[in-house]
């Protein structure tokens, strides 16, 4: 089946630094990827929709200058958390839709801790 | 009002019990409906799609009532391995649109 590879699975960084998270579709082309964030005991909240070759669409309340999304190819989307703060500590997860079988596949998630 | 609402639980049930989860959604234009399962610190995994006619997969039965904008999941003969968070998920509309997740209902099956 369709696989989305997400890296890193876990990262600890210092406040003020930037962290890049990668999501790669391994056996299908993903023209669109979705980025979610999940705080402990909370729902997965959609942050943005990443479109190959164009600008991402951000949900209300999500700062586009803080969460930079790049979708330069049909198989790779990246989320960069810039100038990270402890309140950015969360579980970040991507999802892509396989155009052939219309299923949604999730990456394994990235647990970010900002100290 | 949240787009997808669920009772967060937790539901603590003995092995073998039957448990039901409910969910409501606010967007009447929603096209597709799912139940996902999420284990602690893991990505969500599709449990089953939900159809208007109701559908069953082994011990799991899902129902959809479009008029009431209500979705349910019934788990029969609960197993210890069913312990997880169950997420009610809605697809806003057709095409390449994102899944919208409820907060999830935590289930603990106790021996």
């Amino acid at each position: 089946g369709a696989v989305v590879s997400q890296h890193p699975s876990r990262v600890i960084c210092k406040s003020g630094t930037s962290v890049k998270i990668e999501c790669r579709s391994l056996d299908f082309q993903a023209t669109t990827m979705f980025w979610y964030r999940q705080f402990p005991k909370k729902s997965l909240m959609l942050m943005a929709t990443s479109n190959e070759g164009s600008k991402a669409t951000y949900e209300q309340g999500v700062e586009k200058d803080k969460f930079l999304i790049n979708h330069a190819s049909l198989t790779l989307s990246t989320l960069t958390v810039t100038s990270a703060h402890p309140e950015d500590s969360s579980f970040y997860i991507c999802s892509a839709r396989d155009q052939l079988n219309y299923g949604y596949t999730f990456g394994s998630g990235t647990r970010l801790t900002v100290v | 009002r949240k787009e997808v609402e669920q009772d967060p639980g937790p539901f603590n049930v003995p092995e073998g019990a039957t448990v039901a989860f409910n969910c409501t959604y606010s967007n009447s234009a929603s096209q597709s409906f799912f139940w996902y399962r999420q284990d602690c610190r893991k990505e969500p995994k599709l449990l089953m799609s939900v159809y208007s006619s109701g559908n069953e997969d082994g011990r799991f039965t899902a129902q959809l009532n479009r008029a009431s904008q209500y979705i349910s999941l019934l788990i029969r003969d609960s197993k210890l391995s069913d312990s997880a968070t169950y997420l009610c998920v809605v697809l806003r509309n057709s095409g390449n649109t994102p899944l919208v997740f409820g907060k999830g209902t935590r289930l603990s099956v106790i021996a």
Side-chain angles (χ1 to χ4, degrees), chain B residues 20-41:
Chain B
F21 303 139
N22 302 319
C23 167
T24 57
Y25 60 96
S26 61
N27 187 346
S28 59
S30 299
Q31 295 285 322
S32 303
F33 309 90
F34 311 91
W35 283 100
Y36 275 70
R37 169 192 170 130
Q38 186 177 26
D39 293 290
C40 190
R41 296 174 175 260

Side-chain angles (χ1 to χ4, degrees), chain B residues 24-66:
Chain B
T24 57
Y25 60 96
S26 61
N27 187 346
S28 59
S30 299
Q31 295 285 322
S32 303
F33 309 90
F34 311 91
W35 283 100
Y36 275 70
R37 169 192 170 130
Q38 186 177 26
D39 293 290
C40 190
R41 296 174 175 260
K42 299 285 187 182
E43 75 274 22
K45 294 188 185 296
L46 179 65
L47 180 65
M48 59 196 303
S49 300
V50 188
Y51 304 114
S52 297
S53 54
N55 50 301
E56 189 174 307
D57 182 2
R59 298 181 293 108
F60 299 84
T61 301
Q63 295 276 355
L64 166 66
N65 184 321
R66 283 188 184 269

Side-chain angles (χ1 to χ4, degrees), chain B residues 2-109:
Chain B
K2 291 191 189 304
E3 201 162 344
V4 181
E5 300 232 42
Q6 290 181 254
D7 179 348
F11 284 63
N12 299 312
V13 304
E15 271 187 293
T18 296
V19 61
F21 303 139
N22 302 319
C23 167
T24 57
Y25 60 96
S26 61
N27 187 346
S28 59
S30 299
Q31 295 285 322
S32 303
F33 309 90
F34 311 91
W35 283 100
Y36 275 70
R37 169 192 170 130
Q38 186 177 26
D39 293 290
C40 190
R41 296 174 175 260
K42 299 285 187 182
E43 75 274 22
K45 294 188 185 296
L46 179 65
L47 180 65
M48 59 196 303
S49 300
V50 188
Y51 304 114
S52 297
S53 54
N55 50 301
E56 189 174 307
D57 182 2
R59 298 181 293 108
F60 299 84
T61 301
Q63 295 276 355
L64 166 66
N65 184 321
R66 283 188 184 269
S68 304
Q69 295 179 201
Y70 171 91
I71 307 162
S72 66
L73 176 68
L74 184 77
I75 305 175
R76 290 183 299 278
D77 189 22
S78 299
K79 311 290 185 191
L80 294 176
S81 56
D82 293 334
S83 298
T85 296
Y86 290 83
L87 304 167
C88 179
V89 184
V90 169
L91 185 60
R92 281 175 178 165
N93 40 53
S94 60
N96 223 353
T97 54
L99 298 176
V100 180
F101 288 81
K103 190 176 179 180
T105 301
R106 174 75 190 146
L107 171 67
S108 291
V109 181

Side-chain angles (χ1 to χ4, degrees), chain A residues 10 31-32 34 36 38 41-44 46 49 59 91 93 97 99 104 106-108 111, chain B residues 34 36 38 40-44 87 91-92 94-104:
Chain A
R10 186 184 298 265
T31 54
T32 303
F34 307 103
Y36 293 84
Q38 186 177 34
K41 298 186 180 181
K42 299 290 185 184
S43 177
L44 276 84
L46 180 68
T49 300
E59 294 297 296
F91 187 59
I93 191 164
R97 191 177 193 190
Q99 299 298 319
Y104 287 79
F106 285 84
S108 54
R111 190 157 301 280
Chain B
F34 311 91
Y36 275 70
Q38 186 177 26
C40 190
R41 296 174 175 260
K42 299 285 187 182
E43 75 274 22
L87 304 167
L91 185 60
R92 281 175 178 165
S94 60
N96 223 353
T97 54
L99 298 176
V100 180
F101 288 81
K103 190 176 179 180

Side-chain angles (χ1 to χ4, degrees), chain A residues 18-113:
Chain A
S18 295
V19 174
K20 180 186 281 190
I21 302 169
E22 286 191 355
C23 269
R24 198 177 294 271
S25 57
L26 295 187
D27 48 6
F28 67 100
Q29 293 183 335
T31 54
T32 303
M33 281 200 186
F34 307 103
W35 287 95
Y36 293 84
R37 176 169 57 183
Q38 186 177 34
F39 292 108
K41 298 186 180 181
K42 299 290 185 184
S43 177
L44 276 84
M45 297 300 298
L46 180 68
M47 298 176 67
T49 300
S50 165
N51 302 297
E52 187 268 333
S54 65
K55 291 183 179 180
T57 304
Y58 289 81
E59 294 297 296
Q60 191 173 12
V62 178
E63 299 175 59
K64 63 179 182 178
D65 295 329
K66 180 168 180 63
F67 298 100
L68 300 179
I69 289 174
N70 185 282
H71 195 153
S73 77
L74 285 170
T75 58
L76 175 64
S77 176
T78 61
L79 168 68
T80 302
V81 182
T82 62
S83 187
H85 290 281
E87 56 265 32
D88 297 325
S89 299
S90 187
F91 187 59
Y92 293 85
I93 191 164
C94 63
S95 172
R97 191 177 193 190
D98 180 350
Q99 299 298 319
L100 287 180
N101 68 24
Y102 301 108
Y104 287 79
T105 302
F106 285 84
S108 54
T110 297
R111 190 157 301 280
L112 171 64
T113 303

